[in-house]
Structure formats: structure tokens, C-alpha cells
Amino acid sequence: MLNRRWLDKELTVFLSLWLLGVLSPTCSEEVLTNHWYVELHEGGEDNAIKVAKRTGFSYVSPVLGSNTEFHFIHHAVPHARLKRSIYHNRQLKNHPLVKTALQQTGFLRSKRGFKPLPNIPVSEIKLQDPDINSILNQHKDGKLPTDPLFPKEWFLKNVGQSGGIAGLDLNVESAWEMGYTGKGVTTAIMDDGIDYLHEDLRNNYNAKASYDFSSNDPYPYPRYTDTWFNSHGTRCAGEVAAARDNDVCGVGVAYDSRVAGLRMLDQPFMTDLIEANAMGHMPNDIDIYSASWGPTDDGKTVDGPRNMTMRAIVNGVNEGRGKKGSIYVWASGDGGADDDCNCDGYAASMWTISINSATNDGQTAGYDESCSSTLASTFSNGKSTLRDAGVATTDLYNNCTTTHSGTSAAAPEAAGVFALALEANPNLTWRDVQHLTVLTSKRNRLFDPYLRHHWQFNGAGLEFNHLFGYGVLDAGGMVDLARKWKPLPERFHCTAGSVIKKLSFGTNDPIRLEIPTDACRGSKNEINYLEHVQAFITLKSSFRGNVVIHLTSPMNTTSMILSQRPNDDDFKNGFTRWPFMTSHSWAENPKGTWVLEMTMVSGKGSSYDTGTFFEWTLVVHGTKSEIYQNQDGDTDKHGKLYNIKRRHADYRFK
């Protein structure tokens, strides 16, 4: 369970570091919305409604269930403007019950993977896969789902269809054979709505846990557009919980689980209040929150959650699911090799599980971002020159599709696997799910076709890859380990040290910094076994996208915590205490000297770019006690980790 002292006392320090970074806007002009955050001296919903009515506002809802903080909207104010409405702010602040009133900034959030697969000439389409008959035969025997699109769901059972590699899938069949199908688990799809009338979803739809934060009503049905742009959430929902054996579309990873719709993306600008209320919605009814969106994937945006949203996430991991912690699953991003998901404060958060994607033949997709915070991978689409290369799932208005793609498709698959694990062991905490992900994900046949990122072992003997994290999720392995999983030791965090000085660096002229640490030895926060590592960094440069940063642990594991982003031409903002995160040193001992190397690489900009370093603070998170001492019934002190990993590698390829 989570250490309450850590949350209550020390989290304030961490959040101050985080928020000073993410609240530095990267856009030149601030956009203001017609939404307001209002805090009252005297609480109560009745008081909030009275204040709203008296000042000309409309009452929306409490903020994160608070008795004193509320969300107001003013319908006479434009949805977006460039100046704060002084008059309306004054109207609120002059009311004797109002303590604070803050007009909400608007910002952009983009759906991951809304990129139609290319049109392939008929002459190039492969009309029949030679291996498909093996799936069809099993259909007839009743061993596998009979849904019409199941043979095309190669991410569930890959027999080589659409040019894939047989066996490269989520291994859900093993979990299903053990009797786990997601019963009793609810996943919230935070997106543009869900077609909850769809025949493949309606029986698994959790209406009680659903809400429309765009229209402020309990019916998160997608808004119609000619382009079907708002099909995104419906497609993601089908991947998790499409029903089995009903002759409609395909089948979900956790086909007996339930999905809730949290409609919040379909509006001109996002606000902190809308994000926060979505991520904190009914945390004891929703187990998993799946997000296939984030800051714009343009290769130059540096952005993340604001104040209220961070409060919602922290409250979720602290209080959600009966204090076991809400599970937040995040798509790593579709910015491709020119972007880095460590510049996405959602995917790079230690409280979310960042999921990247792979194709059906084991490669990274061309749109995949890479970063050291990615924990694992699932699948997005196959080879575009073959028929049904995308992910088969539900679509708007009772339709089906085989063209869903992007890391949008990857995150819901992971949510489905986690739903299977939660059914196997409902007592799993948010940390348990991350540990199970690390220990049971597989290298399988995943590889980088460009040979830039190789598989390597960290100091604790865990194999990882900068693109794929710890490998592709294995539902069978995760469920098997989950059902006998025992509670983890208490988690702490330790500020390991800081370097605060002004240093210059430039193109091919790096700087090297060191922080020796005892990881708070002898204190209540002592850490001997790592989980997450954060480097809060402040710098500016003449071309931010050419800054590359590596962090090396005392056990000699090097993480690239920032890669080159050639489209990021920022020369003003830089990074302000930005929390770069790595999961690559998982289970290592943090004691010793940490090394930060920072340089400007050649690229766009001038022939010689310069940078100025100001601050680096190292924060390590983990346990004092041996991290896997209770797992698997193993008493060999030095062999626990290896034995756990080895036993659960038997489900599929190592």
C-alpha cells in the first residue's frame, strides 16, 4: 500500500518541482475559456449554486468531490479569448462567500492515432492469408471466440495473418483458459464518447460510472461528424470489452469486463478542471482509466498535467479502488522518431503506465515515440500493404472496423490485460500492476528495424529496450503471477541530491555532472531497490530540439531521458524543473554516483548551438526492503527476481 506520510508531507515538495515545470506554457499567447475555478469560504453545493446564480454564472459541479471547490461556467463569455475577463472575475471575487476565482486557461489535447491507414490499390491487397484456416478450424471446435472479426484480431491470436509473426500477440488465450475474462472490472475510456448502443458494447457498458464532461450530462454519446472523427472512443472501448460469441465485430481483451465512457475531448479547448474531474470521476467504481490522447504530437510541444489534474491523479493512486490505487494507462504518443514522450507529462508520469506499440511483425511503428519512461508495449497495426492491417474493433453506429491504429490502439489493449489481472487478484495496488508489467512483459520478437535501440539488461538483470520498455504484455504470464502475488514493501522517495550552477554546453561540446548519493541511508526514506527515477532539469538553449540528455545509474544502466527533436526550435522557454523519468533502472540499488551527460547534437538551427544548464535535482523512488522478498515462494535471496522472470517467460518466447 502507499505510504501515507510520503503522500501527505513529502508530496508537496515533489508537486512544487513538477508544477513549476509544466505550468510554463510553450505557446506564445494564452487562451482563456469561459470556465472558472471557484473556491468558497463556506462549503456546500447549495452555497455554490447560490453564488453562481447571483453572479450570472452557471454551476457545473464540485471539483474532485470537494465541499469548497467548484466548477462554474459563463455562457455569455466566448469559449476562447486572449484576455482575461476582468469584469466576470470581479463579479465572483466581490461575492462575500468567494475565496478564490480563477478563469481557466484553454489548451490543446490531441487524440492519438487518428490517422487512417493508407488506401491500398486493389492489385496489392492480399485477399486470403494461408494461415487463417487454422483459426477458422478452432472456431468450429468452440475453442476460440466465434465473432466474425476474431480471425482478423491478430493482436489476440497471431498465426501469421496479415504478414505477421505467429505467436507475436498478447497471449490472452492463456488467460482465458485459466478462466479470467475481466469480470467485475470497469475501465473508463477518457475520450470523445462511446456508442453505448452498439450491440457489441451495450451489455458491458457501465452507465453508472459514465459521464459527459463536454455537455455536463450522464450520456457520453459521441457527437456526429461527417468524417466520423468522434469514433475514437468507441473503437478503444471495443478493444477492451467487446462481447464474445454474439456474431458482432470481434472480441475484447477482457470481454466480460465493463467500460465506462468519460466524454471530455470533443471541445475547442481542454481545461484543467475538465481533465481533473474526468481523471477523478468515481474512483471507487472505476478501476482503470485509459487515455489515448495527450499534448500535440508535433515534436516541439512540452506539456503535461496542470495543478488540479495532478491532484486528481495523486488522489487516484492514493484513494482510488478502496485505497489500492486507480490504474492510469497512457498511450505514449504518435510523434514518431522526431518526438520524445518524456516531453509529455502524462505519459512520463510515474503514476501512469506508458504504453508504446509494435506492429504484427515485431517492429516499431513509424509513428511511435520513444522514451525512457515507457513501461511496456502492445500492438497497433500490421503491414499497411496487407488487408486488415489495422486493429479490428467496434465502430460508430453499430459498425465494425479493421483500420484502428496508432498508440491509441495500444493503450486500450493494455487496459484489457490489466482488467484480466485485476480479476485474478482484486487486491492489486497501482504499484503491483506496474511490477507485474515489468516482470511478465516479454521481448518476444520485438526489434528496432533501424538498429538504433538494442535490447539490454539493467543492473538487476531485467531486459529492456528504449522503444518497447520491458517488452510486449503477456496476459497469461501476468494473470498467473497476479493470482499469487503478495503485497510489496512500503514505497518511499528520496531526494538524492542536486547540482545548481550555471554551465555552458554546445554542439558536440557536452557537460558531465555527477551526484553521489547514499539514497537517504539511515533515514525513514532509505531506498535500496528502485522503481522510478526522476531528473528535474532546468536549462535553456538556442535550439531546444538539439539537446540530448543521458542519465547513468550507479549500476551502469544508461537511459536516454531526452532524445533529439528536430522540430523543436524553442530558444526562450527551455525546460524549467521538468521531470524527466526513467524506468530502466527498475529493481537496481540506487546507492553510488549518478551521472548526467548533456550535449547539443547537430541538426536544424545554426551550425553551432549553445545551451545553458542551471539545475538538476535527482529524486529516486522505491523500497528499503527487498522488493520481491515475498513473491513466488522463493527463499533464495539473490535469485528471486531472476526466478520470477524466468518462470513467467515460459508462456511465450523470452
Side-chain angles (χ1 to χ4, degrees):
M1 297 294 290
L2 212 55
N3 180 8
R4 290 303 301 266
R5 294 193 305 274
W6 175 77
L7 277 163
D8 296 338
K9 298 180 180 179
E10 315 232 27
L11 187 57
T12 304
V13 177
F14 166 74
L15 287 179
S16 67
L17 289 170
W18 172 284
L19 293 171
L20 281 172
V22 301
L23 292 179
S24 300
T26 58
C27 54
S28 57
E29 289 186 301
E30 188 178 48
V31 175
L32 283 306
T33 71
N34 60 344
H35 297 264
W36 264 261
Y37 163 82
V38 179
E39 183 179 7
L40 301 183
H41 291 289
E42 297 178 18
E45 191 172 25
D46 289 342
N47 282 338
I49 293 172
K50 291 176 183 177
V51 170
K53 185 176 181 180
R54 183 68 180 268
T55 56
F57 283 76
S58 295
Y59 170 80
V60 178
S61 68
V63 175
L64 299 177
S66 172
N67 191 46
T68 58
E69 299 170 281
F70 299 95
H71 180 186
F72 286 8
I73 190 170
H74 202 299
H75 295 291
V77 176
H79 291 288
R81 52 185 290 161
L82 297 180
K83 293 183 179 180
R84 292 193 178 274
S85 179
I86 297 175
Y87 171 77
H88 294 96
N89 276 325
R90 186 179 295 128
Q91 284 286 98
L92 284 169
K93 290 180 179 179
N94 285 342
H95 194 287
L97 286 181
V98 174
K99 180 179 180 181
T100 305
L102 181 63
Q103 190 174 5
Q104 289 288 286
T105 301
F107 44 87
L108 297 177
R109 290 294 176 258
S110 302
K111 303 172 190 178
R112 306 297 193 202
F114 190 76
K115 301 176 180 66
L117 294 176
N119 291 323
I120 308 301
V122 174
S123 60
E124 296 182 18
I125 292 178
K126 185 176 181 181
L127 296 177
Q128 180 64 44
D129 292 303
D131 309 81
I132 206 74
N133 288 328
S134 63
I135 295 184
L136 295 176
N137 288 334
Q138 287 183 291
H139 266 45
K140 295 174 183 178
D141 295 337
K143 297 178 181 178
L144 290 174
T146 59
D147 305 82
L149 287 188
F150 178 73
K152 299 178 181 180
E153 292 184 286
W154 48 265
F155 53 97
L156 300 183
K157 185 173 180 65
N158 194 337
V159 296
Q161 67 269 52
S162 297
I165 296 177
L168 181 58
D169 54 46
L170 296 174
N171 193 25
V172 296
E173 196 177 353
S174 295
W176 294 344
E177 288 175 351
M178 285 184 258
Y180 299 109
T181 57
K183 291 183 289 293
V185 180
T186 292
T187 297
I189 306 297
M190 300 188 294
D191 215 287
D192 55 17
I194 290 179
D195 181 357
Y196 47 78
L197 302 177
H198 198 293
E199 289 182 63
D200 224 13
L201 295 174
R202 62 189 183 190
N203 291 326
N204 286 339
Y205 177 66
N206 189 333
K208 176 187 174 184
S210 298
Y211 196 77
D212 189 328
F213 291 95
S214 295
S215 301
N216 297 311
D217 61 56
Y219 308 107
Y221 199 83
R223 178 177 60 88
Y224 174 77
T225 66
D226 289 340
T227 61
W228 282 24
F229 180 70
N230 291 321
S231 62
H232 197 254
T234 300
R235 293 178 176 190
C236 293
E239 291 180 86
V240 178
R244 175 173 174 159
D245 298 339
N246 64 343
D247 292 327
V248 180
C249 299
V251 61
V253 174
Y255 54 78
D256 280 330
S257 69
R258 306 185 74 191
V259 285
L262 301 181
R263 181 172 176 258
M264 37 92 76
L265 290 184
D266 186 22
Q267 51 201 315
F269 290 96
M270 182 60 64
T271 69
D272 189 21
L273 288 183
I274 293 174
E275 280 191 355
N277 277 329
M279 292 185 206
H281 183 68
M282 301 188 73
N284 288 317
D285 293 89
I286 295 171
D287 301 287
I288 302 166
Y289 296 79
S290 180
S292 292
W293 51 270
T296 307
D297 288 324
D298 56 7
K300 58 184 178 182
T301 298
V302 177
D303 201 358
R306 269 67 168 174
N307 188 2
M308 291 295 171
T309 303
M310 280 302 304
R311 280 177 53 187
I313 295 173
V314 172
N315 186 69
V317 298
N318 184 22
E319 302 293 339
R321 297 178 53 244
K323 301 188 183 301
K324 295 185 288 291
S326 302
I327 313 300
Y328 294 98
V329 184
W330 226 274
S332 62
D334 291 341
D338 291 342
D339 209 345
D340 187 297
C341 42
N342 244 338
C343 293
D344 173 346
Y346 302 88
S349 169
M350 62 185 177
W351 292 309
T352 68
I353 300 177
S354 177
I355 298 294
N356 209 346
S357 67
T359 60
N360 64 347
D361 59 353
Q363 302 184 48
T364 179
Y367 46 74
D368 281 346
E369 293 181 34
S370 60
C371 62
S372 57
S373 59
T374 295
L375 206 61
S377 299
T378 56
F379 300 98
S380 53
N381 58 268
K383 297 178 179 178
S384 60
T385 56
L386 296 174
R387 188 175 183 176
D388 304 325
V391 169
T393 182
T394 51
D395 210 348
L396 284 179
Y397 316 124
N398 217 43
N399 285 288
C400 314
T401 182
T402 59
T403 62
H404 189 39
S405 66
T407 52
S408 276
E413 291 171 18
V417 172
F418 299 149
L420 299 175
L422 290 182
E423 183 195 359
N425 185 347
N427 293 319
L428 295 175
T429 67
W430 69 277
R431 287 176 58 213
D432 292 331
V433 173
Q434 294 204 20
H435 280 274
L436 289 168
T437 298
V438 170
L439 293 176
T440 63
S441 295
K442 307 294 190 298
R443 175 176 178 174
N444 204 313
R445 299 290 192 263
L446 304 183
F447 69 100
D448 175 12
Y450 303 104
L451 303 179
R452 294 168 300 185
H453 303 293
H454 301 283
W455 287 90
Q456 52 188 309
F457 290 91
N458 72 7
L462 294 170
E463 193 174 24
F464 70 92
N465 184 286
H466 185 73
L467 289 170
F468 304 113
Y470 287 92
V472 64
L473 289 178
D474 185 297
M478 180 172 284
V479 162
D480 183 64
L481 187 54
R483 58 185 179 177
K484 51 193 173 187
W485 188 257
K486 299 179 181 65
L488 290 166
E490 191 174 18
R491 170 184 166 97
F492 300 98
H493 95 275
C494 167
T495 301
S498 296
V499 176
I500 304 175
K501 62 172 68 174
K502 187 175 181 180
L503 296 172
S504 298
F505 61 100
T507 304
N508 299 320
D509 183 18
I511 56 173
R512 186 178 188 273
L513 305 170
E514 295 184 356
I515 291 181
T517 182
D518 63 1
C520 297
R521 176 180 292 168
S523 75
K524 64 180 182 181
N525 293 333
E526 180 177 352
I527 295 175
N528 296 310
Y529 300 88
L530 281 172
E531 290 177 358
H532 308 91
V533 178
Q534 293 175 303
F536 291 83
I537 293 175
T538 301
L539 65 85
K540 289 187 177 180
S541 67
S542 59
F543 195 93
R544 186 170 62 185
N546 287 340
V547 179
V548 174
I549 307 175
H550 290 86
L551 178 67
T552 301
S553 73
M555 298 188 76
N556 206 34
T557 298
T558 297
S559 303
M560 181 165 60
I561 60 175
L562 179 64
S563 59
Q564 185 179 19
R565 302 201 309 161
N567 297 323
D568 185 359
D569 58 358
D570 171 82
F571 61 92
K572 293 181 179 180
N573 295 311
F575 296 99
T576 303
R577 293 178 180 173
W578 185 259
F580 295 98
M581 195 270 278
T582 180
S583 61
H584 293 168
S585 292
W586 201 274
E588 290 186 357
N589 188 325
K591 294 180 173 65
T593 299
W594 290 80
V595 177
L596 188 77
E597 295 179 287
M598 186 179 306
T599 190
M600 302 288 294
V601 297
S602 300
K604 293 181 181 178
S606 64
S607 58
Y608 185 83
D609 289 302
T610 59
T612 304
F613 165 85
F614 297 98
E615 179 181 355
W616 164 35
T617 297
L618 179 68
V619 182
V620 295
H621 307 262
T623 68
K624 179 179 181 179
S625 304
E626 190 177 345
I627 203 164
Y628 300 122
Q629 60 185 345
N630 296 324
Q631 307 306 329
D632 242 15
D634 200 322
T635 57
D636 178 4
K637 179 177 180 180
H638 300 290
K640 289 185 179 65
L641 180 62
Y642 307 102
N643 288 339
I644 293 170
K645 189 75 172 177
R646 184 169 59 250
R647 288 176 190 176
H648 294 278
D650 294 340
Y651 281 92
R652 202 54 65 86
F653 311 106
K654 294 181 179 180

